[in-house]
Amino acid sequence: MGDKRMDIYRSRVEKLWDKAREAGLEAFLVLSIEGSDFANLFYLTGFSGSFGLFLVDSDPLFMTDPRYSEQVRTELPYLPLKEVRGKWYEGLGEEIKRRDHTKVGLNSRTTTVKLLELLREKIPGVEFVPVDGWVEELRMVKDEGEIERIRAAMRLTEEGLSWVLKQLEPGVMERDVALELEMWYRKNGAEDVAFDLIVAFGEHSAMPHYRPHPGDRALKRGDVVLFDIGVRMGGYCSDLTRTFSYGDPPEEFRRVYELVWKANEEAIRKIKAGISGVEADGFARRVIEGGGYKEEFGHGLGHGVGIQVHEPPRLSFTSEDTLREGMVVTVEPGVYLPGRFGVRIEDLAVVRADGLEVLSRFPKNLEEIVL
């Protein structure tokens, strides 16, 4: 690992440690038990395994079991390692007591009640203090290295979409298209897909998060075709939605599509650092409501994307977030007509001081989405 990357991880850990000290804690514990807090542990250390304990204090220590010891030595050469065997909480307890810690913070969002009870029972004399979202707060603003990983993931996502559109033909099923696209992504550099790819034909496109998906619905001329897709590269996700017409679209589809496109572009034009998630949502929502489809846009405008495909901030009518420079967010208005069709157009963008830097480039104009 290069010195620059190590410095980035050290800086993140130092910010967390500063916050813990300010709160009167003697340490902060990141627990990822079979991936339970994978995203936060990866953000702080770069560890890509499923089991890790990270004790953050003035002398941070990483703990794992023998399955991952060699991986930790390779991925985290800058961190001291303690191997725990058998009951992991016994090794953890020994280390906490050796350091004379009596007040340790941990993440309330990812620590179950059962796990908290286990720690309190097995490591007596230590006060474990649940705190809310400290690491998630750090993760909301991306550095340029993180943005480059997301940009690379988006480039591959769009290349795959271009490829798969050429594979469409009457009779092909949603699930086969999704499978072929996932295989293409993996063969062309993706670590994984960012989520279960959504490929929805016809009336299925009216379900914002089509479940179960993808199905046996076969493609036919005149169908609306919706792709909600993304990949993971370098540990970071992309998220893109485009809606197409397989053949000449009816007039109502044209009208709805142009309305959603207008809402998408209006939000992209107006969103910038300093506005609230509610304001951002309103830019698009007012366009759709003005077009007569108020009830057909039932979800928020967007969400943060990073190590996880859905993470803070939220862009919605219920959001309590304020957008800051460096956040990466989706802009995805939609209109859904149950039993008929739906239209969603989703772009991925970086919040900058003076506006959005849009990372997605796939065409959206009506002429280019007719297949």
Side-chain angles (χ1 to χ4, degrees), residues 23 30-31 47 50 93 99 134 136 191 205:
V30 182
L31 292 163
F47 178 61
S50 67
R99 297 177 181 226
W134 284 0
E136 288 87 347
E191 296 167 2
S205 63

Side-chain angles (χ1 to χ4, degrees), residues 1-231:
M1 180 183 295
D3 291 341
K4 184 176 180 180
R5 290 305 302 168
M6 284 192 288
D7 289 344
I8 288 171
Y9 290 125
R10 286 193 180 105
S11 174
R12 293 171 181 174
V13 173
E14 286 170 4
K15 289 176 182 176
L16 178 60
W17 174 224
D18 287 344
K19 196 169 185 68
R21 283 187 299 178
E22 289 171 5
L25 299 175
E26 297 166 350
F28 188 90
L29 178 62
V30 182
L31 292 163
S32 187
I33 310 300
E34 301 311 320
S36 62
D37 202 8
F38 172 87
N40 286 334
L41 192 57
F42 178 79
Y43 176 79
L44 291 169
T45 67
F47 178 61
S48 63
S50 67
F51 178 80
L53 317 172
F54 188 34
L55 189 61
V56 177
D57 58 12
S58 59
D59 185 23
L61 175 69
F62 198 96
M63 288 168 270
T64 193
D65 63 30
R67 294 175 299 166
Y68 292 112
S69 296
E70 194 58 32
Q71 182 176 333
V72 170
R73 293 186 183 99
T74 300
E75 292 184 338
L76 321 179
Y78 62 98
L79 280 175
L81 168 66
K82 177 175 181 174
E83 188 178 90
V84 291
R85 294 174 178 266
K87 297 175 180 178
W88 59 264
Y89 49 80
E90 293 179 353
L92 173 63
E94 290 170 1
E95 191 61 37
I96 290 175
K97 290 178 180 178
R98 187 182 71 80
R99 297 177 181 226
D100 294 323
H101 293 330
T102 59
K103 193 172 184 180
V104 178
L106 39 73
N107 190 354
S108 64
R109 298 189 185 186
T110 56
T111 305
T112 63
V113 173
K114 183 176 182 179
L115 182 55
L116 180 59
E117 290 175 346
L118 175 70
L119 291 170
R120 288 172 172 170
E121 176 190 349
K122 300 298 183 181
I123 310 178
V126 178
E127 182 184 0
F128 289 97
V129 182
V131 297
D132 183 37
W134 284 0
V135 184
E136 288 87 347
E137 174 70 18
L138 293 175
R139 284 169 46 199
M140 287 172 71
V141 174
K142 275 65 177 177
D143 61 41
E144 291 303 319
E146 292 177 286
I147 291 169
E148 280 307 307
R149 296 188 193 192
I150 297 169
R151 193 191 310 275
M154 179 54 71
R155 282 197 295 264
L156 187 65
T157 300
E158 294 184 320
E159 289 172 12
L161 181 55
S162 293
W163 174 83
V164 80
L165 290 177
K166 298 171 185 174
Q167 316 307 312
L168 295 181
E169 58 184 21
V172 69
M173 290 189 295
E174 294 164 331
R175 64 180 182 183
D176 292 333
V177 173
L179 177 60
E180 290 298 323
L181 181 56
E182 180 170 347
M183 290 174 61
W184 188 95
Y185 281 138
R186 290 177 178 273
K187 289 178 180 178
N188 286 276
E191 296 167 2
D192 196 355
V193 288
F195 50 91
D196 290 338
L197 304 180
I198 295 176
V199 178
F201 297 159
E203 67 282 357
H204 289 169
S205 63
M207 291 182 271
H209 275 184
Y210 173 28
R211 296 288 191 274
H213 73 80
D216 293 335
R217 172 68 156 78
L219 181 63
K220 60 180 184 291
R221 289 289 173 187
D223 275 344
V224 169
V225 178
L226 186 147
F227 286 90
D228 189 346
I229 54 180
V231 302

